[in-house]
Amino acid sequence: MSPGTGAALRLLAATVDAKAVAEIGTGTGVSGIHLLHGMRPDGVLTTVDPEPERQQFARQAFRAAGFASNRARFIPGRALDVLPRLADAGYDLVFCDGDRLECLDYLAESLRLLRPGGLVVFEGVFADGRTVDSGPQPAEVGRLRELLRAVRESQDLVPSLLPVGDGLLCAVKR
C-alpha cells in the first residue's frame, strides 16, 4: 500500500467519524493500521481474511503500532461466507481489498452493511492501468470495469475515484 493510499484511508475513516469499520482482506495489517489511525478512539475494526496466518501477522502489527487488542476483531474465512453474518447498517465504512472477481458481491454486501452516510472504498481499481487499456484483459479487470460502472450508475451512491496508489473507488451511501 502506498503512503498516499494509507493517508487517504486515514482521512476517509476520520471523515465519517468511523466507530465500526469492516475490512475485506486483512493482508499484513497495513491498511488496518491506517484505518485504525483515522477511526474514533473507541472504534473497532472487523477484518476478514481467508488466511489465519495473515491475521496473526496483522494482530502483531496492530499491537506493535500501539493499538489495544479490543480495537480489532479478526474473523478468518472467505468474505462472502462471513459478511452475511455481520449486522445490517452496523458499519460506518467498508474497505474492500479482497478477491477482485468478487468485487460486485462485496458491493452488494457493503450496501447492506453500511449505515446511511457510510462509505465503501475499493482498493486497486486501476489494476496497474489495465482498467483503461483497450486490449484483451483478464477476468478480474472486466469485473473491476463492471464495478466502476455499477457504482457510477447507482442511485444509492455518491461516488468518487481517487487517483492515489493503484486507485481508490469511494462511494457514500445515500
Side-chain angles (χ1 to χ4, degrees), residues 27-99:
T28 59
V30 174
S31 56
I33 289 172
H34 288 293
L35 288 164
L36 284 164
H37 276 298
M39 293 170 66
R40 294 169 37 167
D42 61 342
V44 175
L45 173 69
T46 299
T47 184
V48 179
D49 198 285
E51 302 292 332
E53 301 82 26
R54 288 185 198 162
Q55 291 190 319
Q56 187 56 37
F57 190 85
R59 188 183 316 269
Q60 293 168 356
F62 292 176
R63 193 174 316 120
F67 294 105
S69 61
N70 66 345
R71 294 288 313 277
R73 177 172 68 147
F74 295 88
I75 305 176
R78 194 172 152 265
L80 294 178
D81 295 332
V82 173
L83 295 175
R85 300 190 318 244
L86 301 181
D88 292 3
Y91 292 85
D92 304 301
L93 189 150
V94 177
F95 176 62
C96 304
D97 189 16
D99 184 342

Side-chain angles (χ1 to χ4, degrees), residues 59-149:
R59 188 183 316 269
Q60 293 168 356
F62 292 176
R63 193 174 316 120
F67 294 105
S69 61
N70 66 345
R71 294 288 313 277
R73 177 172 68 147
F74 295 88
I75 305 176
R78 194 172 152 265
L80 294 178
D81 295 332
V82 173
L83 295 175
R85 300 190 318 244
L86 301 181
D88 292 3
Y91 292 85
D92 304 301
L93 189 150
V94 177
F95 176 62
C96 304
D97 189 16
D99 184 342
R100 290 180 177 165
L101 291 174
E102 297 178 342
C103 62
L104 289 169
D105 298 311
Y106 297 160
L107 176 62
E109 283 296 320
S110 295
L111 289 175
R112 183 187 61 76
L113 293 173
L114 286 171
R115 64 166 172 80
L119 183 64
V120 61
V121 180
F122 287 86
E123 200 278 326
V125 295
F126 292 158
D128 297 318
R130 294 178 296 168
T131 52
V132 294
D133 188 348
S134 62
Q137 297 296 332
E140 71 178 23
V141 173
R143 189 71 72 186
L144 286 171
R145 288 176 179 162
E146 291 175 45
L147 172 69
L148 290 163
R149 188 176 312 107

Side-chain angles (χ1 to χ4, degrees), residues 147-171:
L147 172 69
L148 290 163
R149 188 176 312 107
V151 170
R152 182 184 69 233
E153 294 174 357
S154 173
Q155 298 299 308
D156 298 325
L157 296 169
V158 179
S160 182
L161 187 57
L162 302 182
V164 296
D166 197 25
L168 283 178
L169 174 61
C170 308

